[in-house]
């Protein structure tokens, strides 16, 4: 009987360690996802600012270009014609370069948005896994408490029989201690799961 208790206790310990490792992995993964999304949002914001500035510059260049083109029309050519031609070429070159830069900023923004979207999907998957783990742990805590309550009730009954089952009393006491230790360990895991829930809340606020 003692060997069975030891095997059961060892099995419970292994499961708890496995749960702790899984929860830690979820925590680390969620933190990495949060960092990835934050970086993507920063890149997206920066690209949006650059694109807005480039679009504004493009409008200014286009307006200036129209003015120079108008000034260098055949009817208005004069001594400044050659200078206007140089200015026109310079404006056209800058306009082309600014449009290319705007296109690059748009590509960067699209890539950052894709990365942020993927991070959000990853976060949802991790949150679902965490919720499933928390539900399972809560169910196991409840089951362990119920077993401990039943064993405590049986132990009290045996004690009322004035030592009629000393061996069974010892076994029950060991089982109760084992269930209580299991409950304490699982509640510790649940507490750390609440810490992860706070991180999930913080991540959700950034979306």
């Amino acid at each position: 009987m003692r060997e069975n208790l030891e095997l059961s206790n060892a099995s419970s310990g292994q499961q708890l360690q496995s749960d702790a490792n899984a929860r830690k992995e979820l925590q680390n993964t969620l933190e990495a996802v949060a960092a990835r999304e934050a970086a993507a949002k920063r890149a997206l914001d920066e690209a949006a600012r650059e694109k807005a500035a480039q679009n504004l510059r493009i409008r200014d260049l286009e307006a200036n270009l129209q003015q120079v083109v108008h000034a260098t029309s055949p009817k208005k050519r004069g001594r400044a014609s050659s200078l206007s031609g140089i200015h026109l070429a310079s404006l056209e070159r800058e306009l082309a370069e600014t449009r290319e830069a705007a296109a690059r900023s748009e590509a960067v923004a699209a890539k950052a948005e894709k990365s942020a979207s993927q991070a959000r999907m990853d976060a949802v998957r991790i949150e679902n896994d965490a919720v499933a783990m928390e539900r399972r742990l809560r169910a196991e805590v409840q089951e362990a408490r119920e077993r401990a309550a039943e064993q405590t009730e049986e132990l009290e009954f045996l004690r009322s029989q004035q030592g009629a089952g000393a061996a069974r009393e010892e076994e029950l006491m060991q089982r109760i201690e084992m269930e209580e230790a299991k409950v304490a360990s699982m509640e510790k895991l649940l507490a750390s799961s609440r810490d992860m829930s706070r991180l999930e809340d913080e991540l959700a606020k950034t979306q």
Side-chain angles (χ1 to χ4, degrees):
M1 189 66 69
R2 182 177 181 81
E3 183 180 352
N4 290 339
L5 279 174
E6 290 175 351
L7 288 173
S8 178
N9 196 27
S11 177
S12 295
Q14 290 173 358
Q15 181 60 51
L16 285 170
Q17 186 59 52
S18 176
D19 287 340
N21 292 340
R23 193 218 61 79
K24 183 63 177 176
E25 184 177 352
L26 285 175
Q27 174 84 13
N28 291 340
T29 305
L30 187 59
E31 289 175 356
V33 166
R36 195 169 80 239
E37 183 176 9
K41 284 181 66 64
R42 287 194 298 271
L44 183 60
D45 291 343
E46 182 178 355
R49 286 194 298 270
E50 290 179 355
K51 182 71 162 50
Q54 288 154 352
N55 284 340
L56 181 60
R57 182 57 180 159
I58 286 171
R59 286 195 295 271
D60 289 342
L61 288 169
E62 288 174 339
N64 290 339
L65 191 61
Q66 288 298 320
Q67 291 176 357
V68 172
V69 168
H70 182 68
T72 57
S73 63
K75 293 182 180 180
K76 297 192 177 182
R77 284 179 180 170
R79 288 183 302 175
S81 178
S82 61
L83 292 177
S84 296
I86 294 173
H87 190 199
L88 178 63
S90 176
L91 285 173
E92 288 175 337
R93 183 172 59 255
E94 184 179 356
L95 180 58
E97 291 172 351
T98 306
R99 282 173 173 164
E100 290 175 359
R104 288 195 296 272
S105 294
E106 188 171 352
V108 169
K111 183 178 179 180
E113 177 57 39
K114 182 178 180 180
S115 179
S117 178
Q118 182 61 53
R120 285 192 290 271
M121 288 190 292
D122 290 344
V124 169
R125 175 181 55 79
I126 294 167
E127 289 163 9
N128 289 340
D129 290 345
V131 168
M133 174 179 284
E134 183 172 349
R135 286 176 178 169
R136 180 173 58 78
L137 284 172
R138 289 189 183 282
E140 290 178 2
V141 165
Q142 183 61 31
E143 290 172 2
R145 283 176 174 163
E146 290 173 355
R147 285 193 300 269
E150 291 173 359
Q151 290 158 0
T152 299
E153 184 177 348
E154 183 180 353
L155 178 61
E156 290 174 351
F157 173 77
L158 287 174
R159 284 175 174 171
S160 71
Q161 303 303 306
Q162 299 180 348
R168 178 58 178 165
E169 283 186 29
E170 182 180 357
E171 179 192 348
L172 285 169
M173 289 175 64
Q174 291 176 352
R175 287 187 178 277
I176 291 168
E177 288 176 1
M178 186 179 71
E179 297 294 353
E180 289 176 345
K182 186 187 297 184
V183 167
S185 296
M186 287 189 290
E187 286 182 334
K188 186 177 180 180
L189 275 178
L190 284 170
S192 61
S193 294
R194 285 190 287 273
D195 291 337
M196 188 159 62
S197 295
R198 283 192 287 272
L199 178 58
E200 291 166 4
D201 292 340
E202 290 299 318
L203 182 59
K205 290 177 183 177
T206 68
Q207 298 176 5

